[in-house]
Amino acid sequence: MTVWKWDYNPSEEHLTDSLPVGVIAEVERVATELAALGRDAETAGSRPEDKPGGLGNFPLFGGRGFIQFLAVPRRECVCVCNIVWNG
C-alpha cells in the first residue's frame, strides 16, 4: 500500500499569500484528507460523479471559499492548484 501525499502547485507562497492562518490550516487539513483517499481523490469534490479526473472543487467553511485540486495517480499526489477565499 502506498501513501499519497499532497502539495501546493505552483507554490505555497503563491497560493496562500494574504490568506488568514485559519484558512491555510483548513486548506492543509482538507488536502491531507484528500490525500488519505488515495486514488479515490479523483472522484472527490464537485464534478460529475461518473467522470473522474480534472480539477475538483472542495468547499471551505460552509461555502465561504473553496480549493481547487488535481489528483495525480501517476505521482500519487493531490495538488492544491487554487484557493478562493471570500471571507
Side-chain angles (χ1 to χ4, degrees), residues 6-43:
W6 71 271
D7 199 2
Y8 290 102
N9 186 7
S11 70
E12 179 179 4
E13 295 79 22
H14 177 76
L15 293 174
T16 62
D17 186 42
S18 75
L19 288 175
V21 174
V23 173
I24 296 169
E26 180 67 0
V27 167
E28 293 179 356
R29 185 194 69 77
V30 169
T32 300
E33 295 291 327
L34 289 167
L37 290 173
R39 192 170 188 93
D40 289 337
E42 286 185 286
T43 58

Side-chain angles (χ1 to χ4, degrees), residues 3-4 8 14 16 19 25-27 29 31 34 42 44 51-53 67 71 74 78 80-82 85:
V3 177
W4 278 45
Y8 290 102
H14 177 76
T16 62
L19 288 175
E26 180 67 0
V27 167
R29 185 194 69 77
L34 289 167
E42 286 185 286
K51 297 191 180 193
I67 65 169
R74 181 177 66 233
V78 172
V80 175
C81 302
N82 192 25
W85 177 244

Side-chain angles (χ1 to χ4, degrees), residues 9 31 56 63-64 77 83:
N9 186 7
R64 292 174 58 196
C77 184
I83 304 168

